[in-house]
């Protein structure tokens, strides 16, 4: 398979900045631009050169480490949109976008180092991968009123003013997925609902969503099993879930952990309805023995739409960028972040201020972002924020033509039972 314009290796090599022992010049609170009147000529700020009319945004991803494959696809997704914007003349037909990316290896400490490396060269972050990294950066962002589109879906962070929390929350995705299963089989209202999740804020968020929707049916979470990020064996947890009689299990693990978990479930003949975020599935699974199990037992959540439908505007742009390869949800994820970023920057340009404080003010006043090109529901910002409420649900069905194999069965589904008030 070939790509028309982009490749993972090329994108990473051309747009990443290495972490080094050196440190860039620091920006103090006193240096911050205090804002400009709407319609005023844009002034130079870190990340914006009015002479070249180039706006630089930053991205902190796991370009190396266990999650690097999916992270690099997110990078290509972002670049697909930024290249489209630039080909059309730039933001508002005038301002070209440049993307620089640093590697955090999915490590919060390295994310802080990465941010220190690039913060004086960018107007905002178009992505930061991982809840721990997002949380670690929040104090630094607040110090200079800097801003970020996070690669994170924890509802507990949605009201952080430094963030543009673009996606439906982990909690919402679980609520919608369980609701869908019950709509297909009402007897599952009486099911034993269980969790197998990573010991982290992500795992807590997944469990919170399950607790909420199970409560709608008068149920409690029957078993809550946890695992460490470095765990490679899941026999004990699977045995506990099976002994508890679990029938619906939410899986809070990423693509590096799924093969070992499925292997344990297969060995113990444990076959519940599994609910997984899309980050728990990788294109390489098509050639692995775990593929039939995932196909039969997994319901997968994420943003997006029918991934082969180029009548969906966002899918068409991504497909034009990647060529013959299948569109994956990692591409879609990065693409949505880039759309959110340019929407914010367009409004900030209208307000005449690309400084940290100017962008922060824009985010607070812009109300909502509704045009995600068929890939995402509306995000409401302002004083009271509401995350997108729809979840696209997928089944795993890899083929020779499409080894990624995610078929959308419901696009932006919303649970009629109602979502949690803070999700």
């Amino acid at each position: 398979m070939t790509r028309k314009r982009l490749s993972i290796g090329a994108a990473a090599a051309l747009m990443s900045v290495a972490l080094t022992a050196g440190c860039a010049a620091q920006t103090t609170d006193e240096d911050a631009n205090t804002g400009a009147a709407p319609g005023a000529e844009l002034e130079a700020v870190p990340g914006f050169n009015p002479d070249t009319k180039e706006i630089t945004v930053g991205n902190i991803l796991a370009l190396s480490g266990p999650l690097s494959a999916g992270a690099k696809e997110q990078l290509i997704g972002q670049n697909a949109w930024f290249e489209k914007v630039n080909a059309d003349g730039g933001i508002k037909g005038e301002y070209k976008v440049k993307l620089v990316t640093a590697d955090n290896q999915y490590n919060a400490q390295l994310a802080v180092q990465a941010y220190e490396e690039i913060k004086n060269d960018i107007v905002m972050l178009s992505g930061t991968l991982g809840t721990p990294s997002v949380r670690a950066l929040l104090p630094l962002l607040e110090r200079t009123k800097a801003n970020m589109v996070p690669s994170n879906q924890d509802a507990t962070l949605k009201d952080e003013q430094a963030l543009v929390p673009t996606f439906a929350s982990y909690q919402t995705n679980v609520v919608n997925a369980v609701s869908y299963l019950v709509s297909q089989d009402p007897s599952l209202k009486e099911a034993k609902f269980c969790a197998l999740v990573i010991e982290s804020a992500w795992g807590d968020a997944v469990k919170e969503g399950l607790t909420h929707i199970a409560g709608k049916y008068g149920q409690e979470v029957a078993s809550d099993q946890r695992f460490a990020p470095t765990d490679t064996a899941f026999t004990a947890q699977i045995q506990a879930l099976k002994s508890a009689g679990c029938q619906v299990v939410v899986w809070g693990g990423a693509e590096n952990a799924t093969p070992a978990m499925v292997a344990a479930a297969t060995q113990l003949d444990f076959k519940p309805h599994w609910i997984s975020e899309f980050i728990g599935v990788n294109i390489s699974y098509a050639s692995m023995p775990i593929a039939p199990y995932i196909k039969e037992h997994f319901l997968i959540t994420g943003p997006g739409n029918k991934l082969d439908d180029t009548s969906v505007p966002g899918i068409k742009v991504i497909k034009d960028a990647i060529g013959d390869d299948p569109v994956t949800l990692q591409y879609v994820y990065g693409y949505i972040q880039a759309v959110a970023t340019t929407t914010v920057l367009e409004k900030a340009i209208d307000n005449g201020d690309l400084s940290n404080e100017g962008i922060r003010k824009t985010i607070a006043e812009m109300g909502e972002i509704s045009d995600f090109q068929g890939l995402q529901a509306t995000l409401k910002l302002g004083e009271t924020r509401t995350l997108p409420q729809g979840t696209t649900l997928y089944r795993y069905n890899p083929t020779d033509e499409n080894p990624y194999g995610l078929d959308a069965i419901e696009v932006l589904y919303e649970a009629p039972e109602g979502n949690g008030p803070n999700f």
Side-chain angles (χ1 to χ4, degrees), residues 19 26 75 78 95 97 116 130 156 207 238 243 322 329 340 351-352 356 398:
L19 294 179
Q26 300 300 299
L75 176 58
Q78 284 202 28
Y95 300 96
V97 182
E116 294 292 347
T156 63
K207 165 73 179 308
I238 295 295
S243 296
I322 65 174
L329 283 181
N351 290 339
N356 287 349

Side-chain angles (χ1 to χ4, degrees), residues 95-411:
Y95 300 96
K96 297 294 182 71
V97 182
K98 178 182 177 182
L99 175 64
V100 296
T101 301
D103 184 7
N104 70 348
Q105 301 178 35
Y106 201 73
N107 179 296
Q109 183 176 354
L110 291 180
V112 171
Q113 294 179 31
Y115 180 65
E116 294 292 347
E117 288 280 338
I118 67 175
K119 69 178 185 180
N120 296 318
D121 300 320
I122 62 174
V123 296
M124 66 181 292
L125 286 164
S126 60
T128 295
L129 182 60
T131 300
S133 291
V134 173
R135 290 183 181 277
L137 288 178
L138 277 172
L140 304 181
L141 299 179
E142 285 302 328
R143 195 164 65 198
T144 56
K145 302 302 180 186
N147 306 280
M148 174 203 299
V149 177
S151 308
N152 159 271
Q153 294 161 248
D154 188 347
T156 63
L157 294 174
K158 71 181 178 68
D159 293 320
E160 294 287 346
Q161 296 304 296
L163 304 183
V164 182
T166 307
F167 301 97
S169 69
Y170 299 125
Q171 292 94 330
T172 292
N173 286 343
V174 172
V175 168
N176 287 338
V178 172
S179 169
Y180 174 78
L181 288 175
V182 169
S183 74
Q184 301 301 297
D185 181 1
S187 70
L188 289 177
K189 289 182 179 180
E190 307 298 325
K192 288 191 175 182
F193 298 97
C194 304
L196 174 55
V197 297
I198 193 168
E199 189 61 74
S200 70
W202 173 24
D204 292 341
V206 170
K207 165 73 179 308
E208 185 179 17
L210 181 64
T211 300
H212 173 79
I213 188 62
K216 292 287 186 179
Y217 311 129
Q219 306 291 334
E220 297 181 350
V221 176
S223 180
D224 177 13
Q225 298 297 311
R226 301 289 175 126
F227 63 93
T230 56
D231 283 354
T232 58
F234 293 86
T235 300
Q237 293 96 328
I238 295 295
Q239 185 60 66
L241 294 171
K242 184 173 182 179
S243 296
C246 299
Q247 297 162 279
V248 176
V249 183
V250 290
W251 165 237
E255 60 189 37
N256 61 313
T258 299
M261 184 279 287
V262 171
T266 302
Q267 184 178 21
L268 292 172
D269 195 32
F270 181 56
K271 300 175 181 178
H273 296 277
W274 288 97
I275 293 169
S276 172
E277 283 280 349
F278 75 93
I279 54 178
V281 178
N282 185 278
I283 194 168
S284 66
Y285 293 172
S287 60
M288 298 172 64
I290 63 173
Y293 184 96
I294 296 174
K295 180 177 180 179
E296 185 174 357
H297 301 294
F298 271 49
L299 180 64
I300 298 162
T301 67
N305 207 305
K306 295 184 183 298
L307 300 178
D308 60 352
D309 185 357
T310 54
S311 71
V312 178
I315 297 296
K316 185 180 189 308
V317 176
I318 297 171
K319 190 64 179 171
D320 286 347
I322 65 174
D324 295 338
D325 283 3
V327 175
T328 73
L329 283 181
Q330 296 285 11
Y331 293 142
V332 169
Y333 197 93
Y335 186 89
I336 289 171
Q337 290 179 299
V339 170
T341 299
T342 56
T343 303
V344 168
L345 292 176
E346 182 175 17
K347 296 291 186 181
I349 291 167
D350 287 340
N351 290 339
D353 192 353
L354 285 171
S355 70
N356 287 349
E357 289 186 346
I359 293 173
R360 178 73 64 93
K361 185 172 184 288
T362 293
I363 293 168
E365 295 177 348
M366 66 187 301
E368 67 179 33
I369 302 176
S370 58
D371 185 8
F372 286 106
Q373 302 174 31
L375 302 176
Q376 179 75 300
T378 297
L379 164 66
K380 296 180 181 178
L381 295 168
E383 291 186 7
T384 302
R385 294 179 166 193
T386 303
L387 297 176
Q389 297 294 291
T391 300
T392 298
L393 301 169
Y394 300 86
R395 292 290 187 186
Y396 184 61
N397 184 32
T399 64
D400 291 341
E401 293 76 22
N402 182 9
Y404 182 63
L406 289 192
D407 290 340
I409 56 174
E410 289 285 339
V411 175

Side-chain angles (χ1 to χ4, degrees), residues 38-55:
E41 183 176 349
L42 291 171
E43 296 182 0
V45 296
F48 172 63
N49 184 333
D51 294 328
T52 63
K53 294 189 174 182
E54 184 176 75
I55 300 172

Side-chain angles (χ1 to χ4, degrees), residues 39-92:
E41 183 176 349
L42 291 171
E43 296 182 0
V45 296
F48 172 63
N49 184 333
D51 294 328
T52 63
K53 294 189 174 182
E54 184 176 75
I55 300 172
T56 302
V57 299
N59 197 16
I60 299 175
L61 283 174
L63 296 177
S64 59
L67 301 184
S68 62
K72 290 173 183 177
E73 289 182 5
Q74 287 185 24
L75 176 58
I76 289 175
Q78 284 202 28
N79 200 49
W81 175 244
F82 291 139
E83 281 202 351
K84 175 70 164 60
V85 169
N86 288 343
D88 292 340
I91 300 175
K92 298 189 73 65

